Amino acid sequence: MSGTADIVPVTLHGPAGPLAAWECAPLPAVTVRGTAVLVPGFTGSKEDFEAMLPLLAAAGFRAIAYDQRGQWQSAGPDDPAGYTLGDFAGDLVGVAEQVSSDAPVHLVGHSFGGYVARAALLRNPERFRSLTLLASGPSSVRDINFPPPQLVAQMIEAGGQQAIWEQMSAAMTALATMTAARQEFLHTRILTTKKANLLGILRTMETPADDAAALQASGVPILVGYGDTGDLWSPDVHERFAADLGARRVVYAGVGHLPNEERPQQVCADLIDFWSEVDARV
C-alpha cells in the first residue's frame, strides 16, 4: 500500500540454525526513533505481529519479529533438550545484537515469548531499552487457566502436533478475526513447528521463574498489557504481577489472549506512548 512500510522477510543467525524473521523499517521520510524486537509465544510465529509491524514502522520504529528456534520457518534441534529457557533467551540476545549492535532495543514478548524476554533481559539488561509483556503472566503452573504442562506434553507425545491443534482450534475458530485462510495457516504452522519445540517449551513451563524482584531491580522500564476477557491469566493476576514488577499497566477491554491480533492499533498506540516516554528519559 502506498505510504505504508513493507514487511520484508529476513534471515537471522541462531546457535541452532537460521531464524526466520520479518522486518518492517520506517519509510525514508520518517525519522527513525529506535528498533523493536517482538517475540511470539508457544505455537506462535512472527505472523502473530503482522498487523503491528507497519504501524510501529509508521511511528518511526524499525520493527523485527522472528520465529523462535524450531517454530514454523526457523531451524531447531530435534531433541527437546535443545529448547531450554536459556537456549531461547540466548537466541533473543543474539537477535538484539544482530539487528541493533549500537543501541538497546525495545522488547515485546507475547505469552511464552514474555518468559523468553524476561530471561534475556536478566542475562543482558544493557541490550534492552524497555520490556513489554503482552498477555504474558507470571507463571504457567500457578494462577493460570491452562492444563498442567506435563499433561499437554503427554498429549503431544501420543498424538503429535495434530493433537494440540485439535485442542486449540475450537477457541481459535471463535475469534472474530478468524478467516478460513487464517485457520488453514495456523493448522499448517502447528504441523510444521517441530514436536521437540513444543515439548521443550512445555518442560520449560514446568518451572516458575520467580524473577519479578530481579526484573524490577534491572532498572529497565516495563509495561504489562493484557485483555480482561478470557486470557490465560485473570486480570487480577496480571495486576498483581505488574505491581510486583513496578510496571506500567494497560488493559484491553473485551480482549482475550491475543491483543496483538484483536487490537493491534490500540496495542501499538500504547507501545509508542510507552517507548516515547522511556526514550525521553535517556
Side-chain angles (χ1 to χ4, degrees):
M1 184 185 300
S2 178
T4 302
D6 292 328
I7 294 175
V8 179
V10 296
T11 301
L12 303 171
H13 305 290
L19 298 172
W22 278 353
E23 176 178 359
C24 195
L27 295 172
V30 178
T31 301
V32 178
R33 302 168 61 187
T35 298
V37 174
L38 298 88
V39 189
F42 179 59
T43 73
S45 69
K46 59 189 177 300
E47 284 79 4
D48 296 343
F49 304 106
E50 182 174 7
M52 292 176 56
L53 299 182
L55 299 175
L56 297 176
F61 293 95
R62 177 171 163 247
I64 295 98
Y66 72 100
D67 300 343
Q68 298 201 69
R69 59 170 58 202
Q71 279 185 334
W72 184 215
Q73 295 176 320
S74 284
D78 294 322
D79 185 346
Y83 295 89
T84 67
L85 189 57
D87 292 325
F88 287 115
D91 291 347
L92 175 50
V93 171
V95 166
E97 291 171 347
Q98 288 174 67
V99 303
S100 182
S101 61
D102 59 344
V105 304
H106 292 290
L107 181 56
V108 180
H110 173 247
S111 196
F112 176 74
Y115 297 2
V116 176
R118 286 154 56 182
L121 187 154
L122 292 178
R123 178 180 289 201
N124 288 81
E126 68 280 359
R127 294 299 318 155
F128 305 106
R129 191 176 298 282
S130 73
L131 168 65
T132 297
L133 302 175
L134 191 61
S136 183
S139 166
S140 288
V141 293
R142 297 192 299 251
D143 299 323
I144 183 173
N145 182 26
F146 189 82
Q150 288 181 334
L151 293 182
V152 181
Q154 290 170 10
M155 178 185 68
I156 295 172
E157 288 277 20
Q161 294 94 318
Q162 179 64 23
I164 195 166
W165 168 254
E166 291 171 0
Q167 291 293 313
M168 297 171 59
S169 59
M172 291 178 174
T173 303
L175 290 174
T177 54
M178 187 61 61
T179 63
R182 177 69 175 169
Q183 188 171 10
E184 182 180 357
F185 163 74
L186 294 175
H187 189 197
T188 301
R189 179 176 71 179
I190 259 196
L191 295 181
T192 304
T193 293
K194 284 182 174 288
K195 183 177 179 180
N197 165 280
L198 302 175
L199 295 174
I201 290 176
L202 289 164
R203 290 179 183 177
T204 293
M205 286 180 175
E206 293 175 10
T207 304
D210 293 328
D211 54 2
L215 289 166
Q216 184 172 16
S218 74
V220 175
I222 302 173
L223 174 68
V224 171
Y226 55 92
D228 67 355
T229 308
D231 191 12
L232 297 180
W233 297 268
S234 64
D236 64 300
V237 171
H238 283 298
E239 184 176 359
R240 289 198 306 270
F241 189 37
D244 290 343
L245 294 169
R248 182 170 169 177
R249 185 168 57 92
V250 291
V251 183
Y252 300 105
V255 171
H257 191 55
L258 299 170
N260 45 306
E261 297 184 46
E262 296 182 70
R263 298 285 193 279
Q265 292 182 322
Q266 188 177 354
V267 172
C268 286
D270 289 329
L271 288 174
I272 293 161
D273 181 60
F274 175 54
W275 294 344
S276 298
E277 180 182 298
V278 170
D279 290 341
R281 302 178 196 170
V282 179

